[in-house]
Amino acid sequence: MHKIVLGLLVVFALMACNIPQKSQDNKVDVEASQSTDKMEWWRNDRFGMFIHFGLYSQCEGYWKDESIGGIGEWIFKHAKIPVDEYKELANTFTCENMDVDAWAKLAKESGMKYVVITTKHHDGFALFHSKVNDFNVVDATPYSKDIIAEFVEACRKYDLKIGFYYSQYQDWSYQGAGGNNWDKPYAWSKEGFKNYMDEKALPQVRELLTNYGKIDMIWFDTPGKMKKEESEAFLNLAKDVQPKIIVSGRVGNDVGDYVQMEDNDLPKRRPDFDWEAPVTMNHTWAYKRDDHHWKSAGYMLWQLTYSAAMGGNYLLNIGPKGDGSVPQESVNRLKVIGDWMKVNSEVIYEADPSPFVNAFNWGGITHKGNKLYLNITDWPKRQLSIFGLQNKVNKAYFLASGDAVETSREGEYLVLALPDEAPDRNATVVVLEIEGEPIVNQALVQKLDGQIILESELAENTTGRMTHFGSVKKWMKPKGKLAWDFEVTQAGKFKVEVITTGFKRMAWPEKPALWDGGHKVKIVVDEQEIKGEVDKDRTEKAPHDLYNDFKVAEMGTVTIKEAGRHHLELVAETIENSNKAGLAVRMVRLVPSK
Ligand code: FHN
């Protein structure tokens, strides 16, 4: 990996862009992580299964016949269930239709290479036999067998790497640990947290990493108020017991081995660090009987190929039902993904990421030797154009059939002639065999159809706010600006649109996103200036965003007289925030106008 020779013929697009930085808790020392070879298998494999299973799975989103909002595994907190009552769920945990071997087989047949399972989620219940705390599957349930032992055996049988999820900060059923704010004796306290770490969390992590042989990953989550030395205590313990283990970034305080993106969020620009996207198949992680928002297999194949193109791993979740069986909706989708992987897996395994740092709207590129794989998930009618690939293309063909694809050049655009219908409606791979290692122009450039798309995530961002699902998050005060340098190939008059989205709380996927309008902004394009109000003149479906639509505000027109490099700035003059969303700019779009 990391062999790409990036021909940075135009480097201005790289300058001062806000490469996605995730929450403070979740950053890593990139050099430290990349200097070790223990990440090698993880970078090569790219595709894993996440399993959320526990006592909460039995509730299916209901408590005492009442439907509870939010993600399923949070029912304990969202329904404010007293700890003693919640613990009674252990009495009915019989797992009568659970087949752990079948979970692992499903992962294998879907093309996944590693599996991460919730050994203990925020509720504090352990799926393994713990000697230090009896709220565990062996001591507290009629099932009474160690599910993690079964899981490890199954993963080994199918040659899958093994990952343990462990909620190190939140433990809602242990006094003094993090997260319980509804059952008083269980509230976080400084001494209580220390006691929890010493008496439960650290000893349980030691049990997990000592009793089951070689473990490949430990997946910590929601570090909350943990101090650096507390994060380090988990890290050091893990590395002490399992020197080659990969530790997830959500161990907190920048000390993990890689970055976990925010749940269900994929970057718009290729990060230069190791990252993984944990993703749900519907809106919840643990099973909820009323959550019918199943993503299509095609959507998930977009996420998988796009993640690989952006140099990241895709961790796709299943939430078995309370009896242990896997929802048929998940099985069906994984079958489609597995069938696709049987034909196309070379575009994922051991493939380098895209030589382009910016994303494409039709899918993503992965790369191996002299082959570029164009993984096309959003089929463009008749032709696809790529700006800035400098190499000679010796051969172009569909990976699945071997049929040739015609290519031509229009200036710096490589143009592929494509049939009207996608050969594979989920994801069609075109292979470009090129001369030498890819050399590309990284400019943020006008599309061949004339539009200029300036994504917030690609801006020089001095607002002090990060992006969330591609939009500036909680920009509440009119300070700072977004600025882009971009390349124009076809000069002319352009309509200027500012596109905003809502702010979505992922723990409550069914609640509508918060959105504010009525902001006053100034747009400066080179020496021209227009002022206007960012509101909702119309809405548009947001590509690949299942939680938001685009609110499009028309700001006026500008004229760009010459092709070449130009500069645009968006400055906020007033910001409305009555809905606590602020000015959530997703992009500025320039649309050719007569
Ligand atoms: O709170 C958890 C949530 O329940 C789930 O486990 C996800 C998976 O990434 N992690 C936390 C929220 O980010």
Side-chain angles (χ1 to χ4, degrees):
M1 303 289 275
H2 300 288
K3 285 175 293 176
I4 297 170
V5 178
L6 295 176
L8 301 178
L9 298 179
V10 180
V11 290
F12 65 81
L14 287 173
M15 284 158 35
C17 285
N18 69 328
I19 302 252
Q21 292 293 309
K22 291 298 138 182
S23 62
Q24 291 270 321
D25 297 317
N26 195 18
K27 280 189 276 164
V28 294
D29 178 340
V30 174
E31 265 180 38
S33 78
Q34 294 186 347
S35 64
T36 58
D37 66 358
K38 70 174 191 183
M39 301 299 291
E40 209 56 35
W41 70 262
W42 189 88
R43 290 184 192 128
N44 286 340
D45 290 354
R46 288 280 179 245
F47 188 20
M49 175 183 271
F50 211 171
I51 302 176
H52 276 70
F53 183 59
L55 297 183
Y56 41 73
S57 310
Q58 299 174 94
C59 301
E60 304 185 349
Y62 279 78
W63 186 251
K64 297 189 173 159
D65 295 329
E66 193 193 330
S67 168
I68 306 296
I71 43 184
E73 68 283 6
W74 277 61
I75 193 164
F76 190 175
K77 181 158 183 155
H78 287 333
K80 298 188 170 37
I81 302 169
V83 171
D84 291 345
E85 266 186 60
Y86 183 84
K87 283 189 164 180
E88 285 171 20
L89 283 170
N91 302 332
T92 49
F93 198 60
T94 51
C95 309
E96 66 272 23
N97 289 316
M98 184 176 71
D99 180 350
V100 178
D101 187 274
W103 294 353
K105 189 161 179 254
L106 182 61
K108 183 77 179 179
E109 287 176 349
S110 311
M112 292 150 162
K113 295 272 199 172
Y114 64 102
V115 188
V116 180
I117 190 169
T118 48
T119 65
K120 185 204 82 164
H121 204 268
H122 309 330
D123 63 349
F125 173 74
L127 286 187
F128 56 99
H129 190 201
S130 173
K131 298 239 164 63
V132 298
N133 187 280
D134 61 9
F135 189 37
N136 73 67
V137 65
V138 175
D139 295 325
T141 78
Y143 183 68
S144 79
K145 284 183 288 254
D146 185 325
I147 293 178
I148 296 307
E150 295 177 29
F151 169 78
V152 166
E153 190 187 326
C155 288
R156 298 226 166 92
K157 175 170 162 193
Y158 294 102
D159 193 24
L160 294 158
K161 293 272 193 299
I162 298 167
F164 285 165
Y165 174 108
Y166 189 89
S167 174
Q168 80 280 24
Y169 169 73
Q170 300 205 66
D171 190 315
W172 302 331
S173 58
Y174 199 93
Q175 297 193 359
N180 188 328
N181 55 5
W182 65 95
D183 194 349
K184 235 175 167 186
Y186 294 88
W188 180 91
S189 70
K190 204 169 155 201
E191 314 71 57
F193 188 74
K194 184 173 181 326
N195 180 57
Y196 155 73
M197 272 191 62
D198 292 344
E199 302 296 325
K200 182 172 182 184
L202 289 167
Q204 283 200 331
V205 170
R206 182 176 289 281
E207 289 180 324
L208 282 167
L209 299 185
T210 312
N211 296 344
Y212 302 94
K214 182 167 183 291
I215 303 305
D216 302 289
M217 289 177 72
I218 182 141
W219 217 94
F220 291 114
D221 202 5
T222 65
K225 298 195 252 198
M226 277 172 53
K227 297 201 209 73
K228 186 159 187 199
E229 54 274 22
E230 292 166 339
S231 297
E232 278 168 351
F234 286 102
L235 178 89
N236 294 338
L237 167 62
K239 295 195 169 172
D240 204 30
V241 187
Q242 300 263 353
K244 288 241 169 186
I245 200 163
I246 294 175
V247 178
S248 74
R250 292 187 194 168
V251 68
N253 297 292
D254 310 350
V255 300
D257 289 317
Y258 71 92
V259 172
Q260 289 140 301
M261 292 294 168
E262 255 183 82
D263 297 345
N264 290 307
D265 194 0
L266 300 178
K268 308 281 172 294
R269 181 181 173 80
R270 174 163 54 72
D272 60 0
F273 45 77
D274 290 317
W275 65 271
E276 174 184 62
V279 167
T280 49
M281 273 207 196
N282 47 359
H283 282 338
T284 181
W285 301 92
Y287 181 70
K288 277 189 91 170
R289 99 171 74 116
D290 293 342
D291 185 341
H292 304 297
H293 302 97
W294 296 96
K295 293 167 189 166
S296 68
Y299 186 86
M300 293 186 264
L301 281 168
W302 166 71
Q303 292 184 313
L304 169 64
T305 51
Y306 182 90
S307 299
M310 289 285 167
N313 283 22
Y314 182 59
L315 186 64
L316 180 59
N317 182 69
I318 60 166
K321 296 180 181 177
D323 65 2
S325 61
V326 180
Q328 195 56 41
E329 291 87 346
S330 302
V331 174
N332 295 345
R333 283 157 181 77
L334 289 174
K335 168 89 175 78
V336 177
I337 294 172
D339 287 346
W340 186 89
M341 285 293 279
K342 280 186 191 102
V343 178
N344 299 291
S345 65
E346 70 178 88
V347 312
I348 304 292
Y349 306 144
E350 289 165 42
D352 286 325
S354 173
F356 292 91
V357 291
N358 294 332
F360 298 101
N361 55 8
W362 46 261
I365 299 179
T366 49
H367 160 229
K368 245 181 220 175
N370 71 334
K371 285 183 183 163
L372 287 182
Y373 300 107
L374 314 189
N375 308 312
I376 310 171
T377 45
D378 294 67
W379 193 249
K381 285 258 144 53
R382 284 187 287 281
Q383 69 171 35
L384 180 148
S385 62
I386 301 171
F387 179 87
L389 178 67
Q390 311 287 318
N391 306 66
K392 179 165 180 255
V393 176
N394 290 329
K395 211 171 158 193
Y397 55 92
F398 292 108
L399 178 65
S401 64
D403 292 349
V405 174
E406 202 183 299
T407 62
S408 57
R409 294 276 180 181
E410 275 185 44
E412 260 211 77
Y413 295 90
L414 173 73
V415 181
L416 278 68
L418 297 175
D420 282 351
E421 294 294 322
D424 181 330
R425 71 188 173 90
N426 290 324
T428 302
V429 178
V430 173
V431 184
L432 298 182
E433 288 188 8
I434 58 171
E435 209 140 290
E437 288 285 326
I439 301 174
V440 302
N441 179 342
Q442 302 286 10
L444 181 51
V445 77
Q446 185 173 21
K447 308 266 173 261
L448 196 52
D449 69 4
Q451 293 197 27
I452 299 166
I453 312 265
L454 306 173
E455 291 265 6
S456 293
E457 224 170 90
L458 311 187
E460 179 187 351
N461 179 346
T462 53
T463 64
R465 310 305 307 172
M466 319 241 279
T467 51
H468 174 79
F469 287 78
S471 296
V472 182
K473 182 180 179 182
K474 308 266 174 187
W475 188 7
M476 301 290 196
K477 299 222 166 77
K479 113 179 187 313
K481 62 186 177 190
L482 301 174
W484 297 262
D485 288 321
F486 56 98
E487 184 125 324
V488 172
T489 50
Q490 308 155 62
K493 193 167 160 198
F494 294 87
K495 261 194 311 184
V496 180
E497 298 171 337
V498 175
I499 297 179
T500 56
T501 63
F503 171 71
K504 187 85 190 165
R505 270 197 63 202
M506 296 314 294
W508 291 90
E510 59 274 80
K511 283 194 182 169
L514 305 171
W515 180 80
D516 279 308
H519 325 278
K520 300 272 187 331
V521 304
K522 182 169 80 180
I523 305 272
V524 185
V525 184
D526 301 329
E527 69 296 337
Q528 299 164 73
E529 183 177 304
I530 49 177
K531 288 193 174 192
E533 188 170 304
V534 175
D535 225 308
K536 183 172 48 175
D537 296 328
R538 61 174 201 280
T539 57
E540 264 177 30
K541 199 172 158 351
H544 298 134
D545 191 334
L546 301 176
Y547 304 101
N548 265 302
D549 51 18
F550 281 172
K551 293 8 181 208
V552 183
E554 297 189 359
M555 311 298 297
T557 55
V558 293
T559 301
I560 297 180
K561 294 198 186 102
E562 284 176 357
R565 185 178 167 181
H566 295 271
H567 182 80
L568 184 147
E569 291 184 2
L570 183 154
V571 181
E573 299 197 316
T574 64
I575 293 182
E576 298 298 316
N577 56 25
S578 47
N579 292 319
K580 298 196 170 52
L583 176 51
V585 178
R586 168 63 196 271
M587 64 173 74
V588 176
R589 185 168 64 190
L590 306 188
V591 183
S593 133
K594 303 237 160 61

